[in-house]
Amino acid sequence: MAKHGFKVMDSDIHVIEPRDLWQRYMEPAFRDRAPRFEPIEGSDFEGWRFDGKVFPAFFDRPERRRLARVRKDKARVRHIATGRYRDPAEDLPGNDPLAMLQAMDREGIDVAIVFRTMGSHLIAVDGLDSELSAATCRAFNHWLADFCEKDRGRLKAAALLPLQDARLAADEARRAVRELGAVALVLSNHMVNGRPWYDRAWDPLWAEAERLGVPVTFHGIQMAYEEHLGRRFMDNFALAHAAGHPAACSRASPACGRLSSRPPAAGSRGGCGSSTSAWRSSATRSASR
């Protein structure tokens, strides 16, 4: 499928998590605390509920739902105008690997690094039980491995890691890469529990990434309950998105410089970067496995 002799890689293609993912994949010990998709009280919207909170963050507020409706309506108009579909019901589902491969064929994409969508919203919460966060990540990574199993030559998993405990994150990184075939590790671009990414407490994760030889990526979320730039723009989707993604990633990038000045075992050989930034060569090597 190479274009003009070049292979094309999408370094940040997204799944849409199925509504029953965590009910099916969560370990029995945590299943009664698993994320659930359900109606949002006082509205005609549905969303995720987890550990006493609604996701996307603050989606139980009318202003957030209004912006979601505007975004959805604008997307529908644009997609119909460009011929993506005649009716939204015809759109390819984001939780079906065969549909993803079909979309990749349309776009001429040879290989895709497959990222989470709602998964990182659920775990990017200050004070979340670290064991529950790790179990949520394990369930998602198991599901994503099954998703990518449809064509492991083209679909490459980026593993979701818990953000509350560096050693649990290192454990899940090792398991996801060695047992499930993940080729990258995903972290949030904003702090959780007030701990910056260059904090020495995260050294176990950087050391594990170095041993595994996989890249660490930072990927933003538009809104979060803890300290987050997007919270300044609750009533403006464009500004919230710009603040939550490129602006927040620019805040995470200094961590890369601080890490790169340490001995090799303290920083990932794959490098750190936003999922929208150019990947270092090791990321391409990982994807070629």
Side-chain angles (χ1 to χ4, degrees):
M1 193 185 297
K3 291 186 175 181
H4 306 295
F6 292 95
K7 292 280 189 177
V8 178
M9 181 179 78
D10 185 335
S11 65
D12 182 18
I13 201 168
H14 276 240
V15 295
I16 300 297
E17 292 87 346
R19 297 180 177 188
D20 62 349
L21 186 159
W22 281 279
Q23 275 68 55
R24 288 191 291 129
Y25 281 82
M26 203 83 157
E27 296 152 9
F30 296 95
R31 194 167 295 150
D32 63 339
R33 302 168 68 190
R36 297 181 182 277
F37 196 86
E38 58 187 37
I40 295 177
E41 186 177 352
S43 77
D44 58 352
F45 279 81
E46 293 179 302
W48 292 92
R49 187 173 292 277
F50 180 50
D51 199 43
K53 293 181 171 61
V54 171
F55 297 88
F58 304 108
F59 209 57
D60 50 349
R61 296 190 181 184
E63 63 268 33
R64 285 279 283 151
R65 296 197 298 271
R66 181 184 63 81
L67 292 182
R69 194 181 302 278
V70 170
R71 181 186 187 188
K72 183 177 181 180
D73 290 346
K74 286 182 177 293
R76 182 179 66 250
V77 171
R78 183 175 68 252
H79 294 160
I80 291 175
T82 57
R84 175 166 166 170
Y85 49 62
R86 290 171 296 180
D87 183 276
E90 300 173 358
D91 202 12
L92 294 173
N95 58 14
D96 181 351
L98 296 179
M100 180 172 287
L101 291 166
Q102 183 180 345
M104 290 166 61
D105 289 342
R106 289 181 182 178
E107 298 291 337
I109 296 170
D110 297 281
V111 178
I113 313 301
V114 187
F115 277 70
R116 81 302 168 273
T117 296
M118 191 51 58
S120 61
H121 290 248
L122 299 171
I123 62 167
V125 177
D126 290 349
L128 179 64
D129 178 357
S130 58
E131 295 290 349
L132 177 60
S133 179
T136 303
C137 292
R138 288 193 297 271
F140 172 81
N141 291 333
H142 268 128
W143 175 82
L144 187 60
D146 289 347
F147 182 98
C148 293
E149 189 65 36
K150 291 296 182 182
D151 191 339
R152 287 200 171 270
R154 300 183 67 192
L155 302 176
K156 308 288 186 177
L160 183 66
L161 301 183
L163 307 176
Q164 290 75 19
D165 186 295
R167 295 196 179 278
L168 289 176
D171 290 345
E172 181 56 15
R174 183 168 54 253
R175 188 188 73 92
V177 172
R178 291 181 177 173
E179 299 179 20
L180 302 178
V183 302
L185 310 174
V186 185
L187 298 174
S188 174
N189 60 9
H190 61 277
M191 294 186 295
V192 172
N193 290 342
R195 181 178 294 159
W197 294 117
Y198 56 78
D199 191 293
R200 286 285 183 180
W202 287 105
D203 281 0
L205 176 59
W206 313 135
E208 189 60 46
E210 169 70 18
R211 283 189 290 270
L212 295 169
V214 294
V216 176
T217 70
F218 294 103
H219 194 303
I221 57 178
Q222 187 202 56
M223 193 68 63
Y225 284 105
E226 71 289 341
E227 179 184 348
H228 190 278
L229 290 175
R231 290 181 63 176
R232 303 179 185 184
F233 309 105
M234 296 277 280
D235 63 344
N236 189 304
F237 175 80
L239 288 177
H241 199 81
H245 288 273
C249 277
S250 71
R251 294 181 69 189
S253 61
C256 305
R258 295 283 290 272
L259 291 170
S260 63
S261 66
R262 298 182 188 174
S268 170
R269 181 175 63 189
C272 305
S274 160
S275 61
T276 57
S277 301
W279 284 31
R280 294 186 183 180
S281 60
S282 62
T284 306
R285 289 198 299 271
S286 295
S288 67
R289 293 175 182 171

